[in-house]
Amino acid sequence: MTRLRQRLAELRGPATVPHPMDARALAALAANPGCRRRALLDGAGVDKGALASALGAPANFGQSQFAHQRGNSFEARVKADGGADLVRLLHERLRDGSEAPGPGAVATPDLTAPGPQGRTARTALALREATEAGRWALLDHPMVSLDVAGSPAFLEPDAVVVHPDGSWTVVEIKSFPMVDGSADPAKVGAAARQSAVYTLALERVASMIGRPPEDGDDTAAREGSVPPAEAASVRARVRHHVLLVCPKDFSNLPTAEMVDVRKQLAVTRRQLDRLTRIEDIAAALPEGTTFDLRLTDDGRTPTRPVEELTAAVEAVDAAYAPECLSTCELAAHCRTRSRAAGRVEALGRGVRGELGGLTTMDAVLTAAMERPADDTPTGDPTVDALRRAAALRAEALASRPEAAACR
């Protein structure tokens, strides 16, 4: 682990502070596990936004400052009064017949600790204590960790609620509106994938709570879980329905719905397991490869030649798809390179899957236009379908001589 951390520090630059990986980035990475480039850059803590700008292809997505401020204001209102209203909102949506939390019934443990490792350990301890107490508790911005291709990622949910029965619910607070009880399906889906990452990380903590150490093993303590000397018989569990809180009908009043994330949880777990370990990707790089921007003293202006940065980025294989444009800061650069190389991935994963072994535009056009005189099938269904489509197009153009040919 020490050698890996040193290698990752060399990749991002010895003087560069690692860029944290949040749940949104992790969900996007899990959606495209074949992209070794993103796995390495995220694992090394490289600021992909700054890297993309230095390459001349800045990202064109992100949250505006106004939207960020509005989201913070709404979150503060949701968590006002020690989170009592938020917990009552959760209880109303559960409809499980349990007793509603009364005044002063919601505990709000202090999660302050130095560094991400300290906050992760403090969160695990607070979760254990709240679970043992058998009462409602609200953890505001707890921190949990998740192993991503052999590198730890520290994640910070908006909130986690501990129920009196020992179960935990992830709370995701978003600033997009919920009109007449429903919100934009695309945004809800993104929130569900993000919440599934938090749920997966919390399941790791829950599995260690109440597990007694074997032969003095202190793994739980070292990994930010439960101190061995204080292990109890309590068994915690993470609920697979998260509470999505949004503004109601364009107002600033909160409303909420329970969202089932079991499907997203299964997909995320499977995709993360498919990720190649970061040390294996780093070991395959040419000697001296680094993504260091060599910023000036003001920490803003990169001095590294663009040619060197481009060579370093291209040394790691990417798996570009049009969906990357809304989730990855390097997508514009990868799209340009994909188009320049004539790769069919630029047309989307669906097209790439249909074309089989034809991986470039030139190969596709060659297969479509080279038709034998006797029109004998090749035995390759993809090539035969392309040739049939080219023949139909030629017939359509021949029937209308005045029509301009497509380019």
Side-chain angles (χ1 to χ4, degrees):
M1 183 60 68
T2 300
R3 289 196 300 270
L4 175 61
R5 289 174 180 172
Q6 291 175 349
R7 179 60 176 138
L8 297 182
E10 294 172 357
L11 288 174
R12 67 174 175 267
T16 304
V17 177
H19 192 72
M21 183 192 300
D22 57 15
R24 184 176 301 175
L26 188 52
L29 176 61
N32 190 12
C35 187
R36 297 162 66 92
R37 180 178 298 170
R38 175 156 195 169
L40 180 64
L41 294 175
D42 283 345
V46 176
D47 186 346
K48 298 194 301 297
L51 179 60
S53 298
L55 290 170
N60 57 0
F61 73 94
Q63 193 176 47
S64 67
Q65 183 178 1
F66 173 76
H68 186 70
Q69 293 175 349
R70 182 181 59 186
N72 288 341
S73 175
F74 177 69
E75 181 176 340
R77 175 162 188 167
V78 170
K79 295 179 179 178
D81 299 327
D85 292 337
L86 175 59
V87 175
R88 281 196 292 270
L89 191 62
L90 170 61
H91 179 266
E92 291 173 1
R93 295 301 183 270
L94 287 175
R95 303 182 182 92
D96 58 357
S98 61
E99 184 178 353
V106 180
T108 54
D110 181 16
L111 304 179
T112 304
Q117 291 86 355
R119 290 187 58 196
T120 302
R122 182 67 188 92
T123 295
L125 181 60
L127 286 168
R128 182 188 67 83
E129 292 174 344
T131 304
E132 285 183 336
R135 57 177 297 188
W136 291 99
L138 174 68
L139 278 67
D140 186 6
H141 283 288
M143 182 158 283
V144 291
S145 65
L146 189 64
D147 182 86
V148 182
S151 180
F154 296 97
L155 312 170
E156 188 176 348
D158 291 331
V160 174
V161 175
V162 178
H163 299 248
D165 63 359
S167 60
W168 308 342
T169 295
V170 173
V171 178
E172 187 68 15
I173 302 174
K174 295 296 185 182
S175 59
F176 57 80
M178 192 175 291
V179 182
D180 294 333
S182 62
D184 184 344
K187 294 181 178 180
V188 173
R193 290 189 293 272
Q194 186 174 341
S195 299
V197 174
Y198 297 136
T199 303
L200 187 61
L202 281 168
E203 284 186 344
R204 172 179 170 273
V205 181
S207 66
M208 292 184 176
I209 288 185
R211 186 185 69 182
E214 298 180 2
D215 299 329
D217 181 23
D218 63 345
T219 302
R222 286 187 284 103
E223 294 186 353
S225 182
V226 183
E230 300 179 15
S233 59
V234 63
R235 293 290 178 179
R237 64 182 179 88
V238 186
R239 293 178 179 240
H240 293 165
H241 285 73
V242 304
L243 183 71
L244 177 62
V245 184
C246 300
K248 181 179 180 180
D249 299 333
F250 302 102
S251 68
N252 202 33
L253 298 175
T255 186
E257 286 298 333
M258 303 301 297
V259 178
D260 188 348
V261 298
R262 285 177 294 183
K263 179 180 178 180
Q264 292 83 356
L265 185 62
V267 171
T268 301
R269 183 183 289 109
R270 182 172 64 252
Q271 298 292 64
L272 289 180
D273 289 341
R274 290 177 55 196
L275 285 174
T276 304
R277 296 189 65 83
I278 292 176
E279 56 262 41
D280 297 335
I281 303 175
L285 295 178
E287 186 71 22
T289 299
T290 177
F291 307 104
D292 188 2
L293 301 180
R294 298 174 190 164
L295 300 176
T296 55
D297 293 338
D298 61 2
R300 298 179 181 178
T301 307
T303 62
R304 183 94 177 273
V306 176
E307 295 77 11
E308 289 186 13
L309 278 177
T310 302
V313 171
E314 293 302 313
V316 192
D317 293 335
Y320 170 76
E323 294 85 350
C324 297
L325 292 171
S326 61
T327 59
C328 182
E329 294 85 346
L330 276 176
H333 170 80
C334 296
R335 178 181 60 180
T336 300
R337 305 294 291 190
S338 181
R339 288 177 173 177
R343 300 190 185 100
V344 297
E345 287 86 348
L347 301 178
R349 292 193 180 98
V351 176
R352 173 67 186 89
E354 291 289 341
L355 292 176
L358 303 175
T359 59
T360 65
M361 303 293 186
D362 289 341
V364 172
L365 293 175
T366 300
M369 298 305 178
E370 290 185 351
R371 299 181 58 199
D374 56 359
D375 209 12
T376 304
T378 64
D380 187 330
T382 301
V383 175
D384 292 340
L386 286 171
R387 291 180 176 178
R388 179 58 180 163
L392 292 174
R393 174 178 176 273
E395 292 177 7
L397 291 176
S399 65
R400 297 186 60 189
E402 71 281 3
C406 298
R407 295 184 180 179

